[in-house]
Amino acid sequence: MPEESINEFPVLWFQGASCSGCSVSLLNSSFPSVASILLEPVLPGKHLNLRFHSTIMAGSGEPAISAIRVVKEEFSGNYILILEGSIQERIYCGIGEFEGKELYLEEEFKEAAERALAIIAYGTCASYGGIPAAGPNVTKACGVGEFLKKHGIRKPYINIPGCPPHPDWFVGTVASVLLFGLPKEDAVDEVGRPKRYYGKLVHDNCPRRAFFDTGRFCLLYTS
């Protein structure tokens, strides 16, 4: 029998101002496990190839940074770009060195975003800036949507907020993109979240919701 053809989608995973909790959440994925996600086809004939993730990759230094260069040049328009953490102003977030020059997330992410197939903002910080963007925000931290708008980059992006997000939300979103393509406008809400996972509130399933709807509250008075 002929060997099955596998269509690989390279992935660049950048980390900005964050606690790395989003990566930890994904690594704790139980079904499918993170090993299955990275080593086996997410869907028949389609495989994610994680080419850069500074926290979990074995390589470091220039060999690791060169992986970014290879993906941007050889797979332009056909790779998935993921951001964990917010993007800070240039000098506040370096990601390494290459040929004796220090590289900054702001510049590397901008160039990668311009060539990416799609962008996923994973976690609240990446989606909206999160805690790093709180006032007075000296580092000018921001989320993916604000960053793309600032630089006039028109690329589709999906926000998967949460602190951290559930790994199923990420895996399901990626699988959906590979299976059906980029989500249609009616598949995401007004802040860029997939309705499949963010279409309902926990509040909607609260057993005391009826009391809220009728305005029945227990008020506590203190002297």
Side-chain angles (χ1 to χ4, degrees):
M1 294 180 62
E3 185 177 343
E4 181 182 6
S5 176
I6 301 295
N7 188 11
E8 289 201 346
F9 290 84
V11 175
L12 292 179
W13 185 303
F14 286 117
Q15 292 175 287
S18 69
C19 64
S20 298
C22 298
S23 285
V24 173
S25 174
L26 181 60
L27 292 173
N28 285 330
S29 175
S30 57
F31 186 79
S33 68
V34 69
S36 297
I37 296 170
L38 298 180
L39 301 178
E40 302 172 7
V42 178
L43 296 168
K46 296 183 179 181
H47 174 243
L48 293 178
N49 188 345
L50 183 60
R51 303 292 288 268
F52 181 85
H53 188 309
S54 58
T55 298
I56 66 174
M57 67 191 304
S60 62
E62 289 201 4
I65 297 298
S66 65
I68 303 175
R69 299 285 193 272
V70 170
V71 171
K72 288 192 298 186
E73 293 173 6
E74 296 185 8
F75 300 94
S76 182
N78 197 40
Y79 64 84
I80 297 174
L81 177 61
I82 299 171
L83 177 68
E84 173 185 358
S86 60
I87 306 173
Q88 296 177 303
E89 199 172 57
R90 186 176 186 269
I91 62 172
Y92 295 104
C93 192
I95 64 171
E97 293 184 359
F98 190 77
E99 296 179 347
K101 178 184 176 182
E102 187 168 0
L103 304 179
Y104 299 96
L105 174 66
E106 184 179 33
E107 297 166 351
E108 290 297 309
F109 185 83
K110 178 178 180 294
E111 186 176 335
E114 291 171 338
R115 304 185 184 188
L117 170 67
I119 305 167
I120 295 177
Y122 189 47
T124 297
C125 294
S127 298
Y128 315 120
I131 292 175
N137 195 8
V138 176
T139 66
K140 302 295 189 295
C142 66
V144 166
E146 182 179 343
F147 182 85
L148 297 180
K149 183 178 179 180
K150 174 183 176 182
H151 292 280
I153 301 174
R154 300 179 62 84
K155 285 287 181 176
Y157 70 92
I158 305 170
N159 288 327
I160 307 181
C163 191
H166 194 288
D168 288 355
W169 306 344
F170 173 79
V171 177
T173 298
V174 172
S176 178
V177 169
L178 296 181
L179 187 61
F180 303 111
L182 298 171
K184 306 299 182 184
E185 189 174 337
D186 60 353
V188 296
D189 64 14
E190 66 278 5
V191 289
R193 305 175 302 178
K195 291 181 179 179
R196 175 176 298 183
Y197 303 106
Y198 298 89
K200 295 183 179 179
L201 302 174
V202 173
H203 174 63
D204 295 335
N205 295 317
C206 177
R208 297 178 176 81
R209 173 65 190 267
F211 297 109
F212 173 84
D213 291 339
T214 57
R216 297 173 62 186
F217 300 97
C218 178
L219 301 178
L220 299 178
Y221 295 93
T222 58
S223 57

